[in-house]
């Protein structure tokens, strides 16, 4: 192995060692003075001392002063986890005038005092670890952080309230935003609601102005009916491919007059209207709802006679005096570059079929909450009339909470919004039908501003609250009043007996789940998810909208169930984090990356498929592997695998690691 | 003869293949013999140990020693030749990295002797005799060398100047080395006299190896037909070409057999077996334990596969049954 750069060159290696008490966290178990005395005897160690809190300003100053006083060119600190203070001590080393990577940290807290009880053995282990570090740091090299510029644009994936708010925030800050929404319109779930808890303000009144603002904002490029198919690159410089599905309309020509819909050969709807939760039919040429943004029709290829190869006079096309309809349209791909990505793909409601005892799909008048949201909405399938499948008004309604939430058979988590939207629906149903409303709940959870007050209001409005998880819903009557109705059977856990409540309508407060394609999206954007499948934030408390991939942020229910206020707050936070990235203007790349030494690379291709970040490619002309330092995260996979030893990783060079291991194992 | 440079050849724990490789130089060795004086070559010429002892230290220009070191006699000869030679060359895999004999480091000495003198099916030893280092008969003493605890490479016993790898080395490499020696054109001490790049670099099959290679089943060469044009790994044969120095001219691959690693590692690699193992393990397809296990079933003897020639010199070196101790 050629010895390019041991240390600064040929100069003598002068190491300073500092061991931290961490109050009594370390010193309580490890004899830090003894370790300092021992390390002082090791070769190349010029100064060795202990300090109560090395990370304090005074502690750092001590390092800086000793570097200058003793002309140190290496620093080793034995203290807590590098995760916590490596940056601190590297910075101190740099302030002392030497390259920060001539520093090495030994974790004698998490790996020492916190996991051992025997003082003598823990002290011995700390000495061994320190000796390993002293041996290793001799081989450290000066390294430089690289800087890469950040593109001044953002991609927002998903146009629910989360994506809308994040996009507007960024756009108002003057950044270029690409908003990609899978459906023909933005709005997400919120667009389906009539009112929102706890204020009962009209969802459309607060949402649609924001939607139109997105549609007309000069800084926002809105691609609805589109999906991100590929993303490559790295923080600050992502290359994104967006697939634009054909909607068979020339977007630049359509003005949203909807004449085509009126003239479709189908005079009434011929296919389920997903926006209305399939409670009504729509035509093959359609607009999801009146205030859809963009205000563009779409033709559903599954429902259109012509697109299915059938014979149709295509009256929609002739009705359009702008010739906007184009049956030949094919999917197209857009390629964009962005600096940051905000993932806001939302949630999916729990599938009520998974609780068969509640009779969804079996009894016609068992509804999901989202269906009821449409039923109470004046622009919904019934124009806001709450009527049963037979056209009558319900006289009594049961709302079952926690369907697919807090349930070991389905989902264990609390979906956070169901209690509140159940109260909202109870209020609205009472308002629309004057029925008796029974809420079957396990616990009522109202942790939000004005939420408990809303609950009290509902109690005062004469709603019934029965505590207990509903066993099942049956249509087998045992008394005449139950005849022809559904009977909710529940063990009332406050009263201590089983109740049978006859009702005409059942509402299932279905919980919130990750979307079906969440794991696909997760892989595409290289982010993680928690065990239940929601996207994982980098830190649950301190980095709630960041992910483990730099420059990719989360907003809204894709990260976990939450209500609209929290969604909007999170979207604002994600926008702020993106803005920081863009406004700083560059990203600093840690130098612990891997590189290939060409003359040793046989081109054997072993490393090529291994890199989880696709950082390795092959230079066909030279027949060697090449690592893009900007993409490399320093995971070390390829370094271990390269059978030629042609790949070296900064700060993890063989000679550094072996020197450390050999000293660690002196007593083994 | 006069002042022609003196050269010695010697063998220790080896199979004789290395001697064969010298003879394989054919006419070249005849021609060489006019330029050099061979002072020791047990397989071909009748020189005695005392002839060497009689020489001045450093009188031999170069000794090429093949075979690993297992016995006290081999160690003694290695030390003697080291003293008498200006340049000592570890010749062949066994001298270089312990070679095939090094695989016996997987077993304690007692177990080896017990098997060889008692348990092996071919043994006839009715009196249950064990080998003795001394035998007294009518006032005369016959001695046998001591069989040591482990097999060592030459440089684990004495200082070595150069290495010629291979099991056995090929004549071209040896000739190049001798010519370099005679012309005084030698690289820095410790150099392995073979190209410092893996065999794949020169392998004509490399172009058939895809960038996303993944092996779902390892096969054993004697159980399958092997395509002579396709990368061995693509076909599922554990080829050590990626982890092995070139210089052999791809002899095994020409004979349609996968590389078994005899040329040892590249200079950047500490442990060829570990590297080969890492490399091959990283390209195993499958994600579940079952899938991985079933792929690895095709490698029933991992030590014999990855450390075939290098166990003695590797980081593993030998198997010990020792209790770990906490000292100091
Ligand atoms: C029945 C019900 C009633 C509720 N009532 C209230 C209420 O009254 N008040 C309140 O505060 N909260 C309420 N909530 C909660 C509220 O719905 C959520 O807080 C809010 O919708 C979350 O917004 P979002 O943008 O994160 O997700 P979503 O609304 O789910 O939006 C996600 C968007 O992303 C799009 N998308 C998904 N995947 C992709 C992809 N791969 N590519 C591109 N686009 C994609 C979707 O099409 C959708 O437009 C209710 C929830 C339910 C189920
Ligand atoms: S594994 Fe090593 S030798 Fe093989 S192609 Fe990659 S860098 Fe080159
Ligand atoms: S160290 Fe990891 S991230 Fe870097 S090139 Fe190698 S495999 Fe990729
Ligand atoms: S792995 Fe073996 S067969 Fe394949 S290219 Fe390398 S040396 Fe040739």
């Amino acid at each position: 192995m050629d010895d390019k750069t041991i240390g600064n060159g040929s100069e003598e290696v002068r190491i300073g060692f500092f061991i931290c008490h961490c109050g009594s966290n370390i010193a309580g178990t490890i004899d830090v003075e003894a370790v300092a005395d021992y390390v002082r005897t090791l070769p190349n160690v010029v100064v060795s001392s202990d300090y109560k809190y090395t990370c304090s300003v005074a502690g750092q100053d001590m390092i800086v002063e000793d570097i200058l006083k003793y002309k140190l060119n290496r620093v080793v600190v034995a203290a807590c986890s590098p995760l916590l203070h490596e940056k601190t001590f590297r910075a101190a080393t740099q302030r002392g005038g030497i390259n920060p990577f001539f520093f090495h940290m030994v974790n004698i807290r998490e790996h020492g005092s916190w996991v051992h009880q025997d003082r003598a053995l823990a002290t011995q282990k700390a000495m061994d670890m320190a000796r390993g570090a002293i041996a290793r740091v001799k081989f450290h090299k000066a390294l430089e952080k690289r800087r890469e510029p950040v593109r001044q644009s953002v991609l927002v994936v998903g146009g629910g309230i989360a994506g809308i708010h994040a996009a507007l925030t960024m756009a108002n800050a003057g950044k270029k935003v690409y908003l990609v929404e899978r459906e023909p319109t933005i709005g997400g779930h919120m667009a389906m609601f009539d009112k929102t808890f706890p204020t009962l303000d009209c969802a459309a009144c607060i949402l649609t102005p924001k939607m139109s603002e997105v549609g007309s904002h000069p800084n926002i490029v809105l691609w609805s009916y589109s999906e991100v198919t590929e993303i490559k690159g790295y923080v600050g410089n992502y290359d994104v491919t967006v697939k634009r599905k054909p909607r068979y309309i020339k977007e630049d020509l359509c003005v949203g007059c909807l004449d085509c819909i009126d003239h479709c050969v189908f005079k009434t709807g011929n296919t389920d209207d997903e926006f209305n939760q399939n409670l009504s039919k729509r035509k093959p040429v359609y607009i999801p709802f009146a205030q859809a943004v963009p205000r563009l029709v779409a033709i559903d290829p599954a429902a259109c006679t012509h697109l299915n190869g059938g014979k149709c006079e295509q009256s929609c096309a002739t009705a359009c005096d702008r010739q906007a309809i184009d049956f030949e349209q094919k999917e197209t791909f857009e390629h964009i570059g962005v600096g940051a990505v905000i993932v806001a793909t939302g949630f999916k409601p729990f599938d009520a079929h998974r609780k068969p005892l509640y009779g969804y799909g079996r009894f016609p008048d068992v509804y999901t909450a989202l269906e009821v949201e449409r039923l109470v909405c004046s622009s919904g399938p019934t124009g806001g009339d709450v009527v049963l499948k037979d056209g009558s008004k319900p006289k009594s309604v049961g709302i079952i909470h926690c369907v697919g939430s807090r349930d070991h058979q389905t989902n264990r988590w609390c979906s956070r919004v169901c209690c509140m939207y159940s109260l909202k629906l109870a209020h609205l149903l009472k308002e629309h039908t004057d029925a008796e409303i029974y809420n079957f709940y396990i616990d009522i959870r109202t942790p939000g501003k004005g939420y408990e007050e809303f609950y009290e209001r509902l109690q005062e409005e004469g709603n019934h609250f029965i505590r207990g998880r509903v066993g099942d819903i049956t249509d087998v009557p045992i008394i005449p009043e139950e005849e022809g109705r559904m009977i909710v059977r529940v063990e009332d856990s406050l009263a201590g007996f089983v109740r049978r409540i006859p009702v005409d309508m059942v509402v299932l407060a279905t919980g919130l789940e990750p979307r079906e394609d969440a794991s696909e999206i997760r892989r595409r954007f290289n982010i993680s998810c928690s065990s239940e499948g929601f996207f994982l934030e980098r830190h649950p408390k301190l980095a709630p909208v960041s992910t483990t991939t730099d420059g990719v942020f989360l907003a809204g229910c894709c990260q976990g169930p939450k209500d609209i206020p929290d969604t909007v707050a999170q979207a604002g936070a994600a926008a702020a984090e993106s803005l920081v990235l863009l406004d700083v203007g560059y990203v600093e790349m840690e130098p612990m990356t891997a590189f290939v030494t060409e003359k040793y690379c046989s081109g054997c291709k072993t490393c090529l498929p291994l890199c989880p970040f696709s950082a390795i490619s092959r230079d066909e002309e030279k027949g060697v592997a090449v690592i893009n330092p900007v993409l490399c995260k320093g995971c070390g996979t390829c370094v271990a695998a390269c059978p030629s030893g042609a790949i070296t990783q900064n700060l993890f060079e063989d000679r550094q690691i072996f020197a450390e291991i050999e000293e660690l194992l002196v007593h083994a | 003869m006069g002042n022609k440079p003196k050269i010695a050849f010697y063998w220790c724990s080896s199979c004789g293949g290395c001697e064969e490789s010298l003879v394989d130089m054919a006419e070249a060795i005849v021609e060489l013999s006019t330029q050099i004086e061979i002072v020791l070559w047990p397989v071909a010429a009748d020189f005695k140990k005392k002839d060497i002892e009689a020489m001045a230290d450093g009188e031999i220009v170069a000794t090429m020693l093949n075979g690993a070191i297992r016995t006290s006699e081999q160690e003694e000869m290695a030390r003697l030749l080291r003293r008498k030679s200006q340049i000592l060359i570890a010749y062949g895999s066994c001298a270089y990295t312990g070679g095939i004999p090094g695989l016996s480091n997987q077993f304690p000495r007692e177990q080896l002797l017990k098997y060889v003198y008692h348990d092996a099916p071919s043994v006839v030893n009715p009196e249950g005799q064990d080998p003795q280092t001394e035998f007294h008969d009518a006032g005369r003493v016959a001695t046998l060398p001591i069989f040591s605890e482990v097999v060592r490479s030459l440089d684990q016993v004495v200082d070595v100047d150069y290495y010629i790898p291979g099991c056995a080395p090929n004549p071209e490499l040896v000739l190049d080395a001798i010519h370099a020696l005679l012309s005084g054109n030698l690289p820095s001490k410790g150099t392995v006299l073979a190209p410092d790049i893996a065999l794949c670099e020169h392998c004509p099959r490399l172009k058939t190896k895809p960038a996303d290679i993944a092996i779902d089943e390892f096969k054993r060469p004697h159980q399958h037909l092997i395509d002579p044009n396709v990368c061995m790994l693509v076909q599922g044969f554990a080829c050590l070409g990626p982890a092995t120095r070139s210089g052999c001219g791809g002899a095994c691959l020409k004979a349609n057999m996968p590389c078994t690693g005899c040329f040892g590692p590249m200079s950047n690699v500490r442990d060829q077996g570990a590297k080969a193992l890492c490399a091959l393990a990283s390209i195993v397809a499958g994600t579940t334990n079952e899938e991985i296990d079933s792929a690895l079933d095709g490698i029933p003897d991992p030590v014999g596969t990855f450390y075939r020639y290098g166990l003695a010199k590797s980081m593993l070196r030998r198997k010990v049954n020792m209790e770990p101790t906490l000292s100091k």
Side-chain angles (χ1 to χ4, degrees):
Chain A
M1 198 186 286
D2 47 358
D3 250 10
K4 298 168 277 256
T5 35
I6 292 197
N8 283 332
S10 52
E11 57 166 8
E12 174 205 8
V13 171
R14 298 174 65 81
I15 307 173
F17 177 77
F18 305 89
I19 183 167
C20 185
H21 296 227
C22 195
S24 63
N25 272 304
I26 293 172
T29 313
I30 290 172
D31 184 347
V32 290
E33 287 91 358
V35 177
D37 289 343
Y38 168 71
V39 172
R40 202 171 297 119
T41 66
L42 295 175
N44 299 88
V45 175
V46 181
V47 55
S48 173
S49 48
D50 61 284
Y51 197 74
K52 198 145 186 77
Y53 292 106
T54 315
C55 60
S56 67
V57 173
Q60 295 177 47
D61 286 350
M62 173 179 76
I63 297 177
V64 176
E65 283 156 21
D66 279 3
I67 291 173
L68 300 171
K69 186 159 146 205
Y70 297 100
K71 301 197 169 30
L72 303 179
N73 50 27
R74 300 287 188 287
V75 173
V76 174
V77 172
C80 53
S81 162
L83 214 58
L84 232 62
H85 277 308
E86 191 171 55
K87 274 207 177 115
T88 315
F89 295 126
R90 275 195 184 144
T93 306
Q94 190 162 29
R95 283 205 301 283
I98 53 181
N99 184 285
F101 297 94
F102 282 127
F103 162 80
H104 190 66
M105 190 160 181
V106 193
N107 184 355
I108 55 164
R109 195 178 73 180
E110 282 84 340
H111 293 177
S113 60
W114 278 1
V115 290
H116 297 300
Q117 280 157 359
D118 185 314
R119 191 173 171 83
L121 286 178
T123 303
Q124 175 66 59
K125 179 173 169 181
M127 288 176 179
D128 289 346
M129 289 167 71
R131 195 177 52 243
I134 299 288
R136 148 194 253 282
V137 81
K138 287 178 198 157
F139 294 105
H140 277 211
K141 292 190 302 204
L143 299 170
E144 295 303 328
K145 289 188 174 177
R146 303 161 51 97
R147 278 188 179 187
E148 293 287 330
V150 171
R151 292 180 180 149
Q152 296 300 304
S153 52
V154 201
L155 166 71
V156 178
V157 187
I161 182 59
I164 290 173
H165 187 75
L168 283 175
T169 309
M170 299 284 309
N172 288 339
K175 305 298 173 195
K176 172 129 192 157
V177 179
Y178 297 93
L179 177 55
V180 175
E181 164 60 52
R182 181 157 60 188
E183 301 299 327
T185 176
I186 56 172
H189 285 100
M190 187 176 171
M192 299 170 182
F193 310 151
D194 183 40
K195 301 258 163 51
T196 56
F197 64 71
T199 42
L200 295 179
D201 37 1
C202 145
C205 311
I206 56 177
L207 178 64
T208 51
K210 290 187 82 123
M211 288 170 60
S212 353
E213 201 184 339
V214 166
S216 59
H217 204 295
N219 289 342
I220 299 181
V221 175
L222 168 59
W223 285 326
S224 63
Y225 216 38
S226 302
E227 269 171 73
V228 174
T229 51
E230 194 182 11
I231 174 158
K232 291 198 293 213
Y234 52 93
V235 52
N237 293 274
Y238 287 111
D239 296 319
V240 183
T241 307
V242 179
K243 178 170 88 182
R244 309 218 50 213
K245 295 178 277 190
R247 64 201 297 160
Y248 305 104
I249 299 293
K250 293 190 178 125
E251 290 189 14
D252 46 339
L253 295 182
C254 173
V255 286
C257 67
L258 312 187
D259 280 353
C260 50
I261 302 182
D262 289 343
H263 286 83
C264 175
V265 291
F266 289 100
K267 289 300 152 221
T268 56
N270 69 336
T271 190
D272 282 340
D273 183 345
E274 353 16 31
F275 190 78
N276 278 338
Q277 299 297 300
N278 304 342
L279 293 172
S280 63
K281 299 279 183 194
R282 63 158 171 77
K283 297 183 183 180
V285 54
Y286 70 107
I287 188 158
F289 59 102
Q291 300 101 320
V293 171
R295 192 177 163 83
L296 293 173
V297 299
I299 299 180
D300 177 353
C304 166
T305 315
H306 175 64
L307 286 172
N308 272 302
K311 256 195 170 347
C312 179
E313 61 189 68
Q314 299 168 33
S315 48
C316 57
T318 37
C320 179
D321 51 16
R322 301 178 57 86
Q323 272 95 48
I325 292 186
D326 174 10
F327 285 111
E328 299 309 314
Q329 210 169 53
K330 296 276 172 302
E331 64 184 24
T332 56
F333 291 88
E334 305 275 355
H335 301 277
I336 51 170
V338 296
V341 177
I342 297 175
V343 178
T345 50
F347 67 95
K348 143 177 132 21
F350 173 81
D351 175 7
H353 291 100
R354 286 173 61 199
K355 293 295 280 181
L357 291 178
Y358 293 167
Y360 183 71
R362 202 151 41 88
F363 301 126
D365 289 313
V366 176
Y367 296 84
T368 67
L370 212 48
E371 289 168 351
V372 177
E373 291 282 356
R374 296 310 300 148
L375 280 181
V376 294
C377 184
S378 47
S379 63
T382 54
D385 259 354
V386 178
V387 286
L388 299 173
K389 294 279 157 66
D390 66 5
S392 69
K393 267 196 186 308
K395 290 184 201 56
S396 102
V397 181
I399 302 179
I400 303 181
H401 292 216
C402 299
V403 177
S405 304
R406 307 182 66 196
D407 176 2
H408 281 248
Q409 276 149 17
T410 55
N411 298 328
R412 291 175 56 180
W413 61 88
C414 164
S415 294
R416 281 190 56 185
V417 294
C418 321
C419 280
M420 282 304 294
Y421 78 58
S422 296
L423 296 177
K424 169 183 78 177
L425 292 177
H427 171 86
L428 294 175
L429 286 168
K430 191 149 193 84
E431 195 175 76
H432 280 73
T433 63
D434 205 26
E436 288 298 317
I437 313 275
Y438 297 90
N439 278 278
F440 301 97
Y441 68 99
I442 308 177
D443 300 292
I444 295 281
R445 296 188 166 176
T446 56
K449 206 168 173 180
Y451 289 11
E452 183 66 14
E453 295 87 327
F454 186 65
Y455 175 34
E456 279 173 20
R457 172 176 164 191
L458 263 285
Q459 286 169 313
E460 284 156 16
E461 282 174 5
N463 290 281
H464 307 285
F465 288 90
I466 296 171
R467 187 170 186 273
R469 190 187 277 285
V470 170
D472 66 355
I473 295 177
T474 173
D475 56 354
V476 183
I478 51 176
I479 49 169
E481 294 92 275
E482 293 178 355
E483 213 70 58
R485 308 176 83 182
M486 294 177 284
I487 304 108
V488 179
R489 297 205 296 180
V490 58
E491 182 181 340
D492 185 330
S493 64
L494 293 180
F497 57 84
V498 175
R499 286 183 193 274
R500 293 172 61 91
I501 313 269
V503 294
D504 308 314
M505 177 183 201
V506 170
V507 182
L508 303 179
T510 45
L512 275 54
E513 278 188 345
R515 288 196 181 260
E516 285 103 338
D517 60 350
S519 60
E520 208 178 296
I521 299 294
R522 175 179 82 79
R523 272 193 293 276
R524 190 162 308 148
F525 290 94
N526 199 11
I527 55 183
S528 316
C529 63
S530 44
S531 55
E532 64 276 17
F534 291 110
F535 300 145
L536 191 64
E537 61 282 359
R538 179 179 289 175
H539 189 282
K541 290 149 203 154
L542 303 180
V545 297
S546 307
T547 65
T548 44
T549 295
D550 294 334
V552 177
F553 303 100
L554 302 175
C557 287
C558 62
Q559 180 264 346
K562 54 181 68 66
D563 54 23
I564 294 166
D566 283 2
T567 297
V568 171
Q570 204 186 26
E577 295 280 358
S578 308
L579 278 173
V580 170
L581 186 64
L582 266 59
D583 279 350
V584 167
Y586 62 85
V587 282
E588 268 196 342
M589 304 291 191
E590 284 297 324
M592 59 261 280
T593 49
F595 60 90
V596 177
T597 309
E598 264 178 34
K599 66 171 175 172
Y600 296 124
C601 172
S602 71
C604 74
K605 309 183 191 176
T606 305
C607 56
L608 297 181
L610 302 181
C611 180
F613 309 98
S614 312
I616 314 180
S617 56
R618 185 174 154 92
D619 179 333
E620 286 298 344
E621 215 163 285
K622 293 185 183 157
V624 296
V626 184
I627 294 176
N628 181 343
V630 173
L631 294 182
C632 170
K633 294 251 173 190
C635 72
T637 309
C638 63
V639 188
C642 171
S644 291
I647 309 184
T648 312
Q649 185 180 351
N650 288 329
L651 285 177
F652 295 91
E653 294 181 32
D654 277 1
R655 54 185 176 175
Q656 297 165 348
I657 296 174
F658 283 127
E660 187 171 6
I661 294 176
E662 275 158 16
E663 286 304 322
L664 264 175
L665 298 183
V666 157
H667 301 305
Chain B
M1 297 213 169
N3 43 17
K4 279 192 280 184
K6 294 191 170 74
I7 306 284
F9 299 108
Y10 194 69
W11 58 356
C12 290
S13 198
S14 64
C15 66
C18 285
E19 307 292 337
E20 197 63 48
S21 71
L22 289 170
V23 179
D24 276 352
M25 288 191 284
E27 296 83 42
I29 198 149
V30 180
E31 194 205 308
L32 262 182
S33 62
T34 63
Q35 298 173 48
I36 60 172
E37 182 190 343
I38 296 178
V39 295
L40 178 70
W41 193 5
V43 80
D46 187 18
F47 300 104
K48 297 283 188 254
K49 181 180 169 200
K50 63 176 187 315
D51 300 330
I52 305 297
E53 281 170 333
M55 290 179 159
D57 286 359
E59 192 176 326
I60 304 173
V61 170
T63 292
M64 301 207 185
L65 190 150
N66 72 68
I69 309 296
R70 176 92 223 204
T71 68
S72 54
E73 183 215 19
Q74 290 162 352
E75 180 168 352
E76 193 184 327
M77 284 304 290
R79 291 187 190 286
L80 176 67
L81 286 164
R82 170 69 278 185
R83 208 165 60 238
K84 301 293 175 188
S85 315
Q86 290 162 32
I87 292 170
L88 178 63
I89 300 177
Y91 186 101
S93 303
C94 301
Y96 173 25
T97 55
I100 302 267
L103 285 173
S104 65
N105 284 1
Q106 291 174 88
F107 311 98
R109 176 180 180 274
E110 278 59 47
Q111 194 181 334
L112 292 173
L113 291 176
K114 182 166 175 293
Y115 185 79
V116 172
Y117 288 93
H118 304 281
D119 299 346
S122 56
V123 169
V124 182
N125 184 1
E127 277 115 69
Q129 291 276 2
D130 281 312
Q132 305 296 317
T133 51
E134 276 186 15
F135 179 69
H136 297 262
D137 181 46
R140 290 171 304 176
V141 187
T143 58
L144 271 181
I146 300 166
F147 188 76
S148 58
E149 199 60 46
V150 285
V151 168
R152 285 174 293 171
S153 62
L154 184 57
D155 65 359
Q156 288 171 331
V157 177
V158 292
D159 194 33
V160 168
D161 298 297
Y162 297 105
Y163 304 87
I164 299 180
C167 179
N170 51 327
E172 297 79 38
L173 271 192
V174 184
L175 270 177
D176 284 353
I178 296 180
H179 285 307
L181 204 76
L182 294 177
S183 62
N185 223 345
L186 283 163
S188 59
K189 188 179 161 177
T191 303
V192 177
L193 302 176
D196 196 4
I197 191 106
L199 184 57
C200 291
E201 160 109 354
H202 303 294
C203 181
R205 304 182 192 225
L206 178 63
K207 57 182 181 303
T208 65
K209 190 176 183 180
D212 56 350
I213 182 161
I215 303 176
D216 44 27
E217 184 195 0
F218 279 108
K219 297 181 192 138
R220 307 185 67 192
H222 60 285
Q223 293 170 336
H224 297 269
L225 279 178
I226 304 178
D227 185 324
N229 299 313
V230 174
C231 170
M232 290 288 182
L233 288 171
V234 175
Q235 303 184 62
F237 302 104
C239 182
L240 260 56
T244 305
R245 210 180 261 271
S246 53
C248 59
C252 295
L253 288 152
K254 279 186 191 145
N256 209 17
M257 287 296 281
C259 167
T260 58
C262 73
F263 263 56
M266 277 60 68
S267 63
N268 269 342
V269 173
R270 272 244 193 153
D271 188 313
Q272 181 193 17
K275 266 300 187 193
L277 179 65
C278 278
L280 261 56
S282 340
I283 53 174
V284 168
T287 44
T288 66
N289 284 346
E290 291 73 31
E291 286 165 344
I292 293 168
D293 284 348
S294 98
L296 296 183
D297 280 347
I299 304 183
D301 176 12
V303 177
T305 306
F306 299 112
Y307 288 96
R308 184 168 303 173
Y309 306 93
L311 185 61
K313 191 64 200 298
S314 73
M315 283 193 276
L316 299 176
R317 249 187 107 175
R318 61 191 282 206
K319 189 173 171 196
V320 282
N321 297 319
M322 208 174 79
E323 291 292 311
T325 50
L326 259 176
S327 57
K328 216 179 148 248

